[in-house]
Amino acid sequence: MTLETVSEVKSHGGVQGVYRHASAATTTDMVFSLFLPPQPERGEPVPLLWYLSGLTCTHANVTEKGEFREACARAGIAFIAPDTSPRGPDVPDDPEGLWDFGQGAGFYLDATQQPWATHFNMRRYILDELPALVAQHFPADMTRQSITGHSMGGHGALTLALSSPGRFRSVSAFAPIVAPRQVPWGRKALRHYLGEGDAVWRAHDTVALIEDGARVDELLVDIGEADPFLEKELRPELLEDACADAGIPLTLRRQAGYDHSYYFISTFMADHVGWHAERLNR
């Protein structure tokens, strides 16, 4: 698979790169960023931490604002940030021109309804196509992968980990949408991408997956108590209840005064990188 280098710069002894490639899953060009710590210069493959971004974001938001590189360089972990959806003039978008659906809002699933099904195959892209590309071009140890994400990307991290047992050694999230079947952002996306039907929606809902028997070893979740989306869209109490009923160890940290922004994410990013590093390097 051909890979185009958009940019590469040295940072914290490693290399922060941005790359473009033609995607078979989305039938568009896709862009992602990847930070390689200094260790690969000595020929050592390194574990890989996936970061899935939220609504409206591209790879650039966390790459420029996430403040992950120092922690990743210290831990010897590569950090990859894909885009949140296919993009381009031929890719359909929200018919109402809103920001919470369409381009920038792929919800990390494979759409089955037209016009979305042609391009919006983000689950296949994240789980199959992009890992194969990374394995081909970078010194990443694909037997040691973990995943995290923010908001819609937190939803993606949790649902992909729960529905892909053994794929990720650890999973965490910042302000995740934990029950999309029960909140406006999620219901809009699930209806358009997948059609009507609770049975289909449950496969892309963290709380429902846990209720239906999916398991991970443990979870780390941070939320901001001043997050304006907390009560209407995020509903962390539903995740608490589901994990308690299922016996999944959940560390849910409510951070006083923090909102939904990258000021919040960057403050606790090093904690998450360190938490994943412990599990990736066991």
Side-chain angles (χ1 to χ4, degrees):
M1 291 180 280
T2 303
L3 186 68
E4 174 191 350
T5 299
V6 177
S7 65
E8 288 184 336
V9 294
K10 189 162 186 176
S11 179
H12 294 281
V15 176
Q16 176 62 66
V18 177
Y19 308 95
R20 179 184 293 112
H21 70 104
S23 167
T26 68
T27 67
T28 65
D29 283 353
M30 296 292 287
V31 177
F32 66 94
S33 74
L34 189 144
F35 174 72
L36 276 177
Q39 284 78 0
E41 295 178 3
R42 302 195 294 269
E44 303 167 3
V46 295
L48 183 65
L49 177 58
W50 292 82
Y51 177 90
L52 305 185
S53 298
L55 291 166
T56 76
C57 292
T58 70
H59 71 281
N61 296 76
V62 69
T63 305
E64 296 169 2
K65 303 174 185 177
E67 300 182 20
F68 57 86
R69 277 174 287 271
E70 182 178 5
C72 286
R74 186 168 57 248
I77 292 175
F79 186 100
I80 184 168
D83 202 347
T84 54
S85 81
R87 299 178 189 270
D90 297 326
V91 176
D93 207 352
D94 189 316
E96 300 176 0
L98 301 177
W99 55 269
D100 59 354
F101 179 71
Q103 294 194 38
F107 270 83
Y108 304 102
L109 51 76
D110 290 345
T112 59
Q113 305 299 302
Q114 292 296 352
W116 316 102
T118 300
H119 302 290
F120 283 77
N121 296 299
M122 291 300 295
R123 177 184 172 86
R124 190 191 332 158
Y125 177 70
I126 298 296
L127 289 181
D128 298 328
E129 184 175 23
L130 190 51
L133 188 72
V134 169
Q136 179 181 350
H137 291 277
F138 300 97
D141 183 351
M142 304 306 287
T143 68
R144 293 187 291 161
Q145 299 181 65
S146 290
I147 192 166
T148 187
H150 170 234
S151 193
M152 178 188 70
H155 144 81
L158 295 172
T159 56
L160 293 183
L162 283 162
S163 61
S164 307
R167 177 65 175 269
F168 302 102
R169 291 198 179 185
S170 52
V171 55
S172 72
F174 300 88
I177 304 169
V178 301
R181 294 163 49 251
Q182 302 184 53
V183 302
W185 281 345
R187 286 196 296 266
K188 179 178 180 178
L190 296 174
R191 183 177 67 254
H192 283 293
Y193 290 142
L194 302 175
E196 298 290 350
D198 187 68
V200 177
W201 291 13
R202 294 184 72 85
H204 304 282
D205 181 298
T206 295
V207 168
L209 282 164
I210 293 172
E211 291 173 347
D212 293 344
R215 297 291 183 266
V216 291
D217 290 340
E218 57 186 326
L219 291 172
L220 171 63
V221 174
D222 274 300
I223 58 171
E225 290 187 340
D227 191 319
F229 307 114
L230 189 61
E231 294 183 2
K232 185 176 181 180
E233 302 287 1
L234 306 183
R235 306 289 304 278
E237 72 280 0
L238 299 177
L239 179 63
E240 277 188 303
D241 292 344
C243 286
D245 291 343
I248 297 175
L250 167 66
T251 301
L252 177 61
R253 307 192 304 185
R254 292 177 168 85
Q255 307 292 0
Y258 285 91
D259 61 10
H260 200 71
S261 71
Y262 271 88
Y263 296 107
F264 156 63
I265 298 167
S266 63
T267 300
F268 302 103
M269 178 65 82
D271 290 353
H272 283 243
V273 171
W275 186 82
H276 287 291
E278 290 178 3
R279 288 145 183 83
L280 286 166
N281 291 321
R282 282 175 180 169

